[in-house]
Amino acid sequence: MCSRPEPREPLRHVAVIGGTHGNEMSGVYLAQYWLQAPGELQRPSFSAVPVLANPAATAACRRYVDCDLNRAFTSAFLTARVHPDDPYEAFDFVLDLHNTTASMGTCLIAESAHNIFAMHLCRHKLQSPELPCQVFLYQLPGEESYSVNSMAKSGLGLELGPQPQGVLWADLLVRMRALVATALDFIQLFNQGTAFPAFEMEAYRKVSSVDFPRTEAGDLAGNVHPQLQDQDFEPLRPGAPIFRMFSGKDMLYEGESTVYPVFINEAAYYEKDIAFLQTEKLMFSVPALPMLAP
Amino acid sequence: MCSRPEPREPLRHVAVIGGTHGNEMSGVYLAQYWLQAPGELQRPSFSAVPVLANPAATAACRRYVDCDLNRAFTSAFLTARVHPDDPYEAFDFVLDLHNTTASMGTCLIAESAHNIFAMHLCRHKLQSPELPCQVFLYQLPGEESYSVNSMAKSGLGLELGPQPQGVLWADLLVRMRALVATALDFIQLFNQGTAFPAFEMEAYRKVSSVDFPRTEAGDLAGNVHPQLQDQDFEPLRPGAPIFRMFSGKDMLYEGESTVYPVFINEAAYYEKDIAFLQTEKLMFSVPALPMLAP
């Protein structure tokens, strides 16, 4: 994975995608609303396009119908596409709106720290005191990109939680809407010729996943420990409890180093055999984003 | 609807049902566990039978596959059953375990106040200071019973929330388990010849349901108002806000009298066009439950 080059021209083609997972309601209903009232997504230098990504799954209020859209965009899938005019390809930048049942607060998801434009966007205002957020980097070293964002030249996932699947909560809707507005404002600043200096950044990078304890038949044998529930982005130290067995016994974290769990007890991950993801906390330098040539 | 006669004989055939809705996980996993370790459901005078009600829906982690099991047990369905040996018919009492995404806390659900045995069970310990709970009566006057419990001579639903669909939270599992244990202890006391005196009781009875605001196309046009979210069982007074439109405008409650909303923003009710149920708060007398004849 090499760094994405920073954009050399204004970003004119921007999409805001809801419903990549049809039961994550903040994005589903915002996209539906913006399709009727697109004015909110207009800026002087561009108009972002609202997209309802997965109408069949949205209608059924399920994550997906046949396969998980956020796991489908490998290069094999992309090159096999039968719709060469797929609109995703045309976008310079994509905001992909998600919810999680985990206590992730406001989380910005990028493939890696090499996406310099996305890192500057994370930094800009999104990390203001009024709207605190964390940055999660999902790509393992050497791993191929597979999310919806890989269809755009650059992109960022907005992951807000906790919110149950199939439910729309007022506070998360307001927060999602404010995040999208701030992101569009940043793109407008870039388009009109603002330069952004280099900075140091903190983020959480995926290391591995941990499955639930299971019976020999594969059924759950315990649940996420109450001391781990809702502790997303907090340090998990060796010896701390991670599961409580239905029999009453506790299971402890046996790793040798401190990790930072995220997506703790996410509903959609039960079928993927994931109770939580382990991340490491990184500090790294992000180079400056130069001003566009006039 | 006439009163159910109180039992004249010990209750020997008791079922504890999880998975009536396959994505309400406290009951699903407790039933799965008890099927392997049934000792927890034994009492001196009886052994309760764990039942996983809807294995196909449970496997798919969905509320139901073809139709909603908790809405299917009308008398037309029951008399049309092709399995005359259906085990539900044989039970003297059924505990039906549910979760909701609404902030219902610990809620006990019965068809009506005429189910005297269930009312005594609600009263007994379940309303102790250590485990506060509310009682919800779902049957409208003249309405036919349609839940799983109508298949047993008597029964009670345990509705714990908030918990997202498809997720198992430690604290709700512990609470559900304690409620089931307390209910079985009550049945044991009754079976061994304890009498229970008459008492005054408070409960919430369903009056009607309220749909979300919608566009002409039927899509949502707003969400549950932040001032109503999580206010289950609290008084809703005329003029209070109930929805916030995506356009920013508030919708107010225009009823003439105070009601008590429940199941506010329950995920499973979106497809039923229900944003919340309106209830009235009742006080009523429950007659004594006499001692069994030796």
Side-chain angles (χ1 to χ4, degrees), chain A residues 168-169 177 229 246 265 270, chain B residues 168-169 177 246 265 270:
Chain A
L168 186 65
W169 277 347
R177 213 162 171 171
Q229 179 68 44
F246 298 144
N265 218 347
Y270 278 65
Chain B
L168 187 64
W169 278 347
R177 212 163 172 171
F246 298 143
N265 218 348
Y270 278 65

Side-chain angles (χ1 to χ4, degrees), chain A residues 16-36 50-63 96-99 163 165-168 173 176, chain B residues 219-220 246 270:
Chain A
V16 183
I17 303 182
T20 297
H21 297 137
N23 53 13
E24 298 177 4
M25 303 309 250
S26 302
V28 167
Y29 286 115
L30 280 173
Q32 279 187 356
Y33 176 71
W34 287 328
L35 284 166
Q36 303 300 318
V51 178
L52 192 58
N54 200 342
T58 302
C61 195
R62 287 162 58 186
R63 185 175 173 90
D96 193 14
L97 313 188
H98 289 265
N99 293 122
Q163 182 174 268
Q165 295 179 342
V167 170
L168 186 65
L173 188 93
M176 184 76 90
Chain B
D219 295 325
L220 256 57
F246 298 143
Y270 278 65

Side-chain angles (χ1 to χ4, degrees), chain B residues 6-28:
Chain B
E6 61 273 15
R8 301 288 183 198
E9 295 181 1
L11 307 183
R12 305 286 185 204
H13 304 285
V14 176
V16 183
I17 304 183
T20 297
H21 297 137
N23 53 14
E24 298 177 4
M25 303 309 250
S26 301
V28 166

Side-chain angles (χ1 to χ4, degrees), chain B residues 156-171:
Chain B
L156 194 69
L158 310 184
E159 184 79 72
L160 268 57
Q163 183 173 268
Q165 296 179 342
V167 170
L168 187 64
W169 278 347
D171 54 343

Side-chain angles (χ1 to χ4, degrees), chain A residues 53-288:
Chain A
N54 200 342
T58 302
C61 195
R62 287 162 58 186
R63 185 175 173 90
Y64 56 86
V65 175
D66 292 320
C67 76
D68 193 336
L69 200 55
N70 212 28
R71 301 291 180 278
F73 295 102
T74 60
S75 64
F77 174 82
L78 292 175
T79 52
R81 241 166 342 119
V82 291
H83 301 295
D85 57 347
D86 191 311
Y88 289 95
E89 271 203 328
F91 291 118
D92 300 316
F93 199 85
V94 165
L95 292 168
D96 193 14
L97 313 188
H98 289 265
N99 293 122
T100 170
T101 64
S103 291
M104 299 278 280
T106 300
C107 178
L108 310 178
I109 301 187
E111 52 185 346
S112 79
H114 299 291
N115 190 333
I116 293 167
F117 187 82
M119 293 302 103
H120 276 275
L121 175 47
C122 290
R123 160 87 167 184
H124 176 80
K125 276 201 186 162
L126 301 186
Q127 289 186 317
S128 69
E130 309 92 68
L131 207 59
C133 59
Q134 310 284 5
V135 175
F136 171 61
L137 307 172
Y138 63 81
Q139 197 171 52
L140 295 171
E143 188 185 49
E144 187 189 26
S145 178
Y146 54 68
S147 83
V148 168
N149 290 343
S150 67
M151 309 200 68
K153 290 171 191 150
S154 187
L156 194 69
L158 309 184
E159 184 79 70
L160 268 57
Q163 182 174 268
Q165 295 179 342
V167 170
L168 186 65
W169 277 347
D171 53 344
L172 272 84
L173 188 93
V174 167
R175 217 191 318 156
M176 184 76 90
R177 213 162 171 171
L179 279 171
V180 170
T182 306
L184 300 184
D185 291 345
F186 173 82
I187 296 172
Q188 169 61 25
L189 282 176
F190 175 78
N191 282 355
Q192 72 191 34
T194 308
F196 298 90
F199 65 98
E200 294 293 306
M201 181 159 174
E202 179 185 281
Y204 297 82
R205 183 167 63 185
K206 180 179 166 185
V207 175
S208 59
S209 65
V210 176
D211 190 13
F212 289 93
R214 294 186 182 271
T215 66
E216 284 185 12
D219 295 325
L220 256 57
N223 51 258
V224 168
H225 197 279
Q227 289 182 38
L228 180 62
Q229 179 68 44
D230 298 329
Q231 299 304 305
D232 302 75
F233 298 109
E234 297 296 325
L236 174 66
R237 300 192 172 86
I242 51 175
F243 297 110
R244 177 157 288 166
M245 310 298 284
F246 298 144
S247 64
K249 197 183 146 200
D250 283 353
M251 268 185 66
L252 309 181
Y253 168 56
E254 295 180 345
E256 292 183 353
S257 61
T258 295
V259 290
Y260 297 81
V262 299
F263 286 107
I264 298 169
N265 218 347
E266 157 58 38
Y269 289 176
Y270 278 65
E271 69 168 21
K272 299 181 198 299
D273 296 346
I274 297 174
F276 59 90
L277 299 181
Q278 299 186 138
T279 73
E280 58 187 356
K281 194 172 181 173
L282 295 178
M283 282 295 294
F284 52 92
S285 303
V286 178

